[in-house]
Amino acid sequence: MKTLISFLPKAAAYFFILLFCYAAVSKLLDYENFQVQLAQSPLLSAYAGTVAWAVIAAELFIVILLAFPATLRAGLYASFGLMVAFTVYIYLILNYSDFVPCSCGGILEKMGWTEHLIFNAAAVLLSIVGIRATYRSGTTAEFQRMRFTRPAIILILIGSFSTAVMIALFLSSEYIIKKENNFTRRFPHHPVMEDKILDLGVNSYYFAGIHNEKIYLANTTSPFSVSIIDVDMDSIEVDYLQPDLAYNYRMLKHIIMNDFYYVYDGSVPVIYEKNLLFKSNIINQISYKQAFFEQLIPINRKMFVVKTQRSNDGNEVFATFRNYRISIFRPIDVI
């Protein structure tokens, strides 16, 4: 019997070391998804970033406490406090939440919220048994002195503190989300999940458009190269566009409208056009030195909307650039 009692604290410690190690490492390896899960929560939306790191740090700290005999009892008390917090969190989700978010991942991924609640309650009881056993495995005098008073008081204080923290987070987060209206928003209940990955190698790509179920990406570091990706993410090919007339470019941009690919630089200023229905890589100049501009959006083949500066007063304006072949430029409004 005495051998069993002396083993109980170690058994509880081994359980929580495995549980918290696995939980912390899995959260770190998929931290973005873990943060999204917290941001979905009706209890923690406003504090998702802070709570995410706090939970991971707490789990790793408790593992360190449990790993050494001198701090094992403190580690079990900390385990009790953290599991109480998790249990109260699930209870609030099930009984006071406007909606029930997606379940957490990791080792408990297949459990529903009720099963989570039962598992956490069992872990709380295990921590209490482990704490009790640390006193029974000590000296007889220590056990007689501490068996009723000190452990119970500490457990009540820790449990009350953990419960109060979770309730405070819940009330505060709901107030921030619903009352203060500071543009803190919850993530969707069912966020986009990662399906396929296509490594582009560099981070200088930007979206040019989509045509015939193909995604076109332009590259700021290689102005005339275009990466074309199948929407199924199965293949990628690179086209190198060839302008019929070249200049010294400073801010070359790409955009697709219907069946046409436009490349432009408002600082030159020049606009090129390519018909995507043809296989040629040659892009033809359709406008040159007709209007300087900062931004351009094609409306159709004969009309663009541009952001530019009015020459007489320097005010920024949106303007229609109609029928580039005859160079008509009309400012329409001052920003």
Side-chain angles (χ1 to χ4, degrees):
M1 184 67 178
K2 186 175 181 181
T3 303
L4 177 62
I5 292 174
S6 64
F7 180 71
L8 280 175
K10 294 180 181 179
Y14 293 152
F15 171 80
F16 286 116
I17 287 174
L18 289 173
L19 178 65
F20 292 144
C21 268
Y22 179 87
V25 171
S26 63
K27 290 180 180 73
L28 286 172
L29 292 177
D30 197 8
Y31 178 75
E32 185 175 350
N33 187 44
F34 173 55
Q35 193 173 21
V36 168
Q37 289 171 345
L38 288 181
Q40 294 172 335
S41 168
L43 271 68
L44 304 174
S45 299
Y47 305 107
T50 303
V51 171
W53 282 113
V55 169
I56 295 172
E59 288 174 340
L60 293 176
F61 178 69
I62 292 172
V63 167
I64 294 173
L65 292 177
L66 293 170
F68 300 97
T71 55
L72 186 146
R73 185 182 294 169
L76 289 174
Y77 274 120
S79 301
F80 168 80
L82 191 60
M83 294 311 299
V84 167
F86 290 163
T87 304
V88 172
Y89 169 76
I90 295 175
Y91 179 81
L92 292 174
I93 285 285
L94 292 175
N95 292 278
Y96 298 98
S97 171
D98 293 335
F99 61 92
V100 178
C102 299
S103 178
C104 66
I107 196 170
L108 306 178
E109 183 177 8
K110 303 302 180 182
M111 288 187 183
W113 284 99
T114 302
E115 288 79 7
H116 274 277
L117 184 65
I118 295 171
F119 177 87
N120 286 358
V124 169
L125 291 176
L126 177 61
S127 64
I128 294 174
V129 170
I131 291 167
R132 178 75 170 170
T134 62
Y135 290 99
R136 289 184 63 88
S137 60
T139 64
T140 303
E142 181 187 27
F143 172 64
Q144 293 295 333
R145 185 171 63 253
M146 301 295 187
R147 60 177 177 173
F148 296 118
T149 56
R150 186 176 175 184
I153 293 173
I154 295 175
L155 289 172
I156 291 171
L157 291 175
I158 293 175
S160 300
F161 176 77
S162 296
T163 302
V165 167
M166 294 310 303
I167 294 174
L169 285 175
F170 171 52
L171 296 176
S172 176
S173 181
E174 285 298 278
Y175 180 82
I176 290 173
I177 295 293
K178 295 181 178 180
K179 302 296 183 182
E180 290 188 353
N181 192 26
N182 67 341
F183 296 100
T184 301
R185 294 294 180 261
R186 292 188 176 114
F187 284 74
H189 301 180
H190 303 284
V192 175
M193 302 303 292
E194 190 176 273
D195 182 24
K196 292 183 180 179
I197 298 176
L198 187 62
D199 188 358
L200 298 175
V202 296
N203 61 359
S204 53
Y205 286 97
Y206 63 92
F207 181 69
I210 189 167
H211 182 262
N212 286 347
E213 296 189 346
K214 291 186 182 294
I215 301 168
Y216 287 74
L217 300 179
N219 192 336
T220 57
T221 59
S222 182
F224 283 102
S225 70
V226 182
S227 295
I228 305 171
I229 304 173
D230 189 274
V231 291
D232 293 327
M233 305 284 285
D234 292 328
S235 63
I236 181 171
E237 58 180 296
V238 180
D239 276 354
Y240 294 94
L241 303 178
Q242 301 173 20
D244 57 352
L245 295 169
Y247 305 95
N248 293 322
Y249 308 102
R250 284 181 287 179
M251 45 183 294
L252 207 66
K253 298 290 183 181
H254 300 231
I255 191 170
I256 290 176
M257 194 280 296
N258 296 331
D259 293 327
F260 290 89
Y261 197 109
Y262 295 97
V263 181
Y264 59 92
D265 187 337
S267 65
V268 174
V270 64
I271 304 173
Y272 298 99
E273 179 189 79
K274 175 185 182 300
N275 191 329
L276 290 172
L277 300 178
F278 299 101
K279 296 297 184 181
S280 173
N281 285 353
I282 300 297
I283 53 174
N284 300 307
Q285 176 181 297
I286 58 175
S287 174
Y288 178 59
K289 286 191 174 180
Q290 293 176 318
F292 289 89
F293 54 88
E294 298 176 29
Q295 299 177 15
L296 175 144
I297 297 177
I299 305 301
N300 54 52
R301 291 195 67 198
K302 301 292 184 180
M303 178 178 176
F304 302 92
V305 173
V306 297
K307 179 183 176 183
T308 184
Q309 287 186 327
R310 197 156 53 191
S311 59
N312 59 347
D313 57 14
N315 283 327
E316 290 187 330
V317 296
F318 290 118
T320 55
F321 183 26
R322 300 176 186 271
N323 196 350
Y324 46 77
R325 299 186 188 282
I326 58 175
S327 306
I328 298 176
F329 183 75
R330 299 176 181 173
I332 57 175
D333 197 9
V334 176
I335 296 177

